[in-house]
Amino acid sequence: MSTKHFFPSTEGVVVLGLESLVARNKHLALDAPNKVVYSKTHHPSKVTVISGGGSGHEPAWSGYVGDGMLAAAVNGEVFASPSTKQVMAAISHVPSDAGIILCITNYTGDNLHFGLAREKAAGMGHNVAILRMTDDVALGRKQTENTGRRGLAANMFVLKLCGSAAEDGYDFEKCMKIGEAVNANAVTVGSSLDHCHIPGREHHRSVPDDTYVLGMGIHNEPGLHEKSPMPPVEEIVSDMLKYCLDPNDKDRAFVEFKADDIVCLLINNFGGMSNFELEALTTVARKVLEKEWKTTPTRIHAQCFETSLNAPGWSISLLNVSGIERQTKTSIHTLLHLLDRDTKAPAWPRNGYKEAKVPKEQAQMAAKGAAEDTAQKGPKVDPATVESALRKACDAAVKAEPDITKWDVQMGDGDCGEAVEGMCKGVLKKLDAGLCKDGALFHILDEVEAAVEEIGGTLGAIISIILASYTSQLRLAYARESGSFQMDIKSSSQAAGQALKNLMGYTSARQGGRTVMDALIPFCETLESVADLGKAVEAAEKGAKSTSGMKATFGRAAYVGEQGAETQNDAPPDPGAMAAAIFLRGLLDGMST
């Protein structure tokens, strides 16, 4: 695996690659500032399917944009999730009257940023849902009980069948049902000879000669285990297929494969394999599948589908089409039609190309959407009270920055205090500019959330999601109750309770895991149950303080080594949880003055 590159770093390379893709495909357009590639021919009467993730996995994701697959793809920097702002830009480029499906690969950043975008879009009136793609079988149930399984190359089956269903005019619920069933009946395992190398960065580790890694992911993370000396290729393939198909491996038997089930095979090049070897590996995989598992794949796809830069590895994916039929009551004939259906997505095998013709309805809908005020001001609140509460909360959190940083340095990477300070100073800047002067509640909440989101990071994403969801719940209640809506502790507590439930759909962190959730969960649950802000703040403070000496099971602090684990009994409180509690106490104090 070479560590030499024509580009000395990744800076600017993502957009250069997207420009190339769009230049040679007339149906595609590029929003360069947001790194969004979208289809100019997607019709707003059809379900919109959007996917995306970090760059470095080309042709994923933008190579799959085109009628019959994705309506748009969102691209982050190399191995980094795209921001919520980017996802929102993608949604705006491909509007739909039928609904929007966001297909994500179940990594933390994607869950949080696509999740926040989903909450924002829902608040704007869109019918939007998240479809998580989780086909990895290398890491079993026990190892993934907190985070869930990774999304690997079988993602492509989800995007293809869901996108084809949308193009054929299936409704939102049916597209979601098919997509979920495809994911539930797909498995993938990878192996590699080495890690990839990212331009401009040090190569952290090389796999020794005469060794291969089983269970390799696509972000340079370690595999399940290394094997040396290298066995014959037939043994490697046999071992990989056991992880996918062995019904006796209770930790990994995620999909049931019955005799005579219709199965599709997808072989993915991680980017650094020669086609010479990949085609040969495809034949070996097919033959071992037939010999050891009495399974002859009905469809075989082999190429670069979802890469890891220049990693010299590959993966095997299997799709049980019969399982999808059993789950959705959709015939195998129809499912294979969706898989085989022609698509204009340039990276899918058997492409077709034609000049783009933008439907008049889409152009008219885009113009209409630009003219509408989607912010919706909502009910009026007392400007002085809201501003006092926000200022008091932000000032308290900024003042606590040294303590927050000190706590984080001991157990994390020391950036929590800086992030909290950045969020609060962003809110204070908006307050200084007159944010609250009109007392328009939804506008105030939207701007506060935008200031938090601007900072990024996991803490920022979690706070942004719960705030955006809280605002969306209030918007829905305001629209539902029209003139009778009252912005009071009752409506606020109900919105907070549902916002917490929505947030918990995007993160596996729970109370007792030493995260900000140790403050947010008791706060929202108490507020929902007793409709008393003072008691809710007390519950948040109690939850935050309980993290002292608590062992981390989520977040970066969960990855400390044995020496670090020994010190966790003496650990300070979680900085994120304490920051949330301090902010909420300031909010309460500010409302009382």
Side-chain angles (χ1 to χ4, degrees):
M1 187 275 308
S2 176
T3 59
K4 294 167 60 179
H5 306 275
F6 287 103
F7 291 93
S9 74
T10 61
E11 185 176 356
V13 178
V14 173
V15 172
L16 288 175
L18 298 178
E19 287 177 349
S20 170
L21 178 69
V22 171
R24 65 182 192 271
N25 290 281
K26 299 295 184 181
H27 67 289
L28 298 181
L30 172 64
D31 173 355
N34 290 300
K35 301 183 184 70
V36 172
V37 172
Y38 61 96
S39 172
K40 295 188 288 188
T41 59
H42 176 69
H43 200 284
S45 65
K46 296 179 178 179
V47 171
T48 288
V49 182
I50 297 173
S51 191
S55 295
H57 303 303
E58 289 72 19
W61 310 97
S62 293
Y64 301 113
V65 176
D67 294 345
M69 214 159 173
L70 296 179
V74 198
N75 303 272
E77 288 296 329
V78 172
F79 296 171
S81 170
S83 69
T84 304
K85 179 183 175 184
Q86 291 175 262
V87 181
M88 293 301 293
I91 291 172
S92 71
H93 285 304
V94 282
S96 172
D97 298 326
I100 300 167
I101 298 175
L102 304 177
C103 297
I104 67 171
T105 55
N106 201 38
Y107 294 95
T108 300
D110 294 330
N111 263 302
L112 293 172
H113 291 292
F114 277 85
L116 176 54
R118 187 261 163 206
E119 293 298 323
K120 287 190 166 189
M124 295 165 64
H126 293 290
N127 181 21
V128 57
I130 284 184
L131 200 168
R132 291 179 178 82
M133 301 181 290
T134 56
D135 53 301
D136 177 34
V137 295
L139 307 180
R141 288 179 172 85
K142 185 176 181 180
Q143 195 166 349
T144 60
E145 61 183 351
N146 286 333
T147 58
R149 293 157 64 198
R150 299 177 293 192
L152 296 175
N155 296 342
M156 302 308 118
F157 284 130
V158 177
L159 303 185
K160 183 61 177 67
L161 274 82
C162 197
S164 290
E167 185 63 21
D168 274 355
Y170 288 47
D171 64 24
F172 177 80
E173 287 74 18
K174 184 66 173 177
C175 289
M176 274 294 292
K177 190 173 183 180
I178 288 175
E180 290 170 340
V182 173
N183 181 67
N185 286 276
V187 291
T188 298
V189 67
S191 69
S192 187
L193 302 176
D194 206 345
H195 297 277
C196 69
H197 184 258
I198 303 173
R201 301 185 193 175
E202 257 186 70
H203 189 50
H204 69 294
R205 182 181 182 273
S206 291
V207 174
D209 292 341
D210 201 24
T211 303
Y212 86 99
V213 182
L214 181 68
M216 181 71 88
I218 55 172
H219 296 98
N220 251 352
E221 63 267 50
L224 183 64
H225 53 247
E226 296 181 359
K227 290 198 171 184
S228 180
M230 288 275 291
V233 67
E234 290 80 8
E235 288 185 26
I236 294 175
V237 172
S238 177
D239 201 17
M240 292 171 71
L241 286 173
K242 286 177 183 175
Y243 279 80
C244 294
L245 295 166
D246 186 0
N248 298 315
D249 185 351
K250 300 305 181 185
D251 197 37
R252 292 182 180 82
F254 292 101
V255 177
E256 181 184 14
F257 289 84
K258 298 181 179 180
D260 301 323
D261 276 351
I262 301 299
V263 175
C264 297
L265 171 67
L266 184 147
I267 302 295
N268 175 52
N269 186 342
F270 279 8
M273 294 281 293
S274 67
N275 286 335
F276 171 78
E277 279 198 282
L278 190 77
E279 295 292 358
L281 286 168
T282 302
T283 295
V284 173
R286 176 177 58 80
K287 289 183 176 180
V288 173
L289 193 59
E290 292 172 350
K291 179 182 177 181
E292 297 185 0
W293 298 97
K294 305 296 184 283
T295 297
T296 301
T298 301
R299 300 285 188 276
I300 301 174
H301 302 289
Q303 64 175 44
C304 287
F305 284 96
E306 184 179 7
T307 62
S308 181
L309 292 173
N310 62 347
W314 66 300
S315 62
I316 298 175
S317 298
L318 297 171
L319 179 70
N320 190 338
V321 184
S322 298
I324 304 171
E325 180 187 49
R326 290 190 287 268
Q327 187 171 332
T328 64
K329 310 304 180 186
T330 304
S331 71
I332 288 175
H333 173 79
T334 298
L335 293 168
L336 291 178
H337 158 75
L338 294 175
L339 182 60
D340 296 339
R341 191 190 193 287
D342 193 22
T343 173
K344 286 164 58 178
W348 187 257
R350 300 170 64 241
N351 289 324
Y353 301 94
K354 64 180 180 180
E355 289 292 325
K357 292 182 180 179
V358 181
K360 290 182 179 178
E361 294 89 340
Q362 181 177 347
Q364 291 169 351
M365 187 173 185
K368 180 183 177 183
E372 291 179 348
D373 177 13
T374 55
Q376 189 187 3
K377 302 295 184 180
K380 295 286 186 178
V381 292
D382 179 50
T385 300
V386 175
E387 179 159 352
S388 172
L390 287 172
R391 281 194 183 278
K392 190 84 171 179
C394 290
D395 287 342
V398 170
K399 185 178 179 180
E401 181 274 327
D403 286 332
I404 296 170
T405 298
K406 179 182 69 176
W407 297 326
D408 195 33
V409 166
Q410 293 180 51
M411 298 301 295
D413 49 15
D415 64 348
C416 185
E418 181 181 328
V420 170
E421 183 179 33
M423 294 175 203
C424 292
K425 285 187 174 179
V427 174
L428 289 169
K429 185 176 180 180
K430 289 177 182 286
L431 292 175
D432 291 340
L435 172 61
C436 298
K437 64 181 181 180
D438 294 329
L441 177 63
F442 296 160
H443 173 64
I444 295 171
L445 291 173
D446 285 339
E447 289 298 305
V448 170
E449 185 277 322
V452 173
E453 182 193 339
E454 192 70 28
I455 299 302
T458 299
L459 179 62
I462 286 175
I463 300 301
S464 292
I465 288 175
I466 198 165
L467 187 53
S469 185
Y470 172 77
T471 307
S472 294
Q473 294 305 312
L474 290 177
R475 275 197 169 101
L476 292 172
Y478 182 70
R480 185 171 58 247
E481 298 173 26
S482 189
S484 64
F485 178 82
Q486 294 271 339
M487 184 57 213
D488 53 21
I489 189 63
K490 181 180 178 183
S491 58
S492 182
S493 63
Q494 291 172 344
Q498 187 57 49
L500 175 64
K501 294 181 179 69
N502 291 346
L503 171 62
M504 292 170 77
Y506 302 119
T507 174
S508 53
R510 296 292 184 267
Q511 197 168 357
R514 189 180 167 80
T515 69
V516 67
M517 299 298 280
D518 284 292
L520 293 182
I521 290 175
F523 173 78
C524 292
E525 288 182 345
T526 303
L527 187 60
E528 183 181 28
S529 63
V530 301
D532 186 314
L533 183 59
K535 290 183 179 178
V537 171
E538 289 175 2
E541 291 173 330
K542 182 179 179 181
K545 291 174 182 176
S546 73
T547 61
S548 294
M550 183 184 290
K551 182 180 178 181
T553 56
F554 298 95
R556 287 179 181 168
Y559 300 116
V560 298
E562 291 181 2
Q563 184 177 355
E566 292 173 1
T567 68
Q568 288 198 23
N569 290 333
D570 301 319
D574 178 72
M578 288 299 294
I582 290 167
F583 184 92
L584 291 169
R585 171 57 68 181
L587 199 70
L588 177 64
D589 291 346
M591 293 178 70
S592 304
T593 56

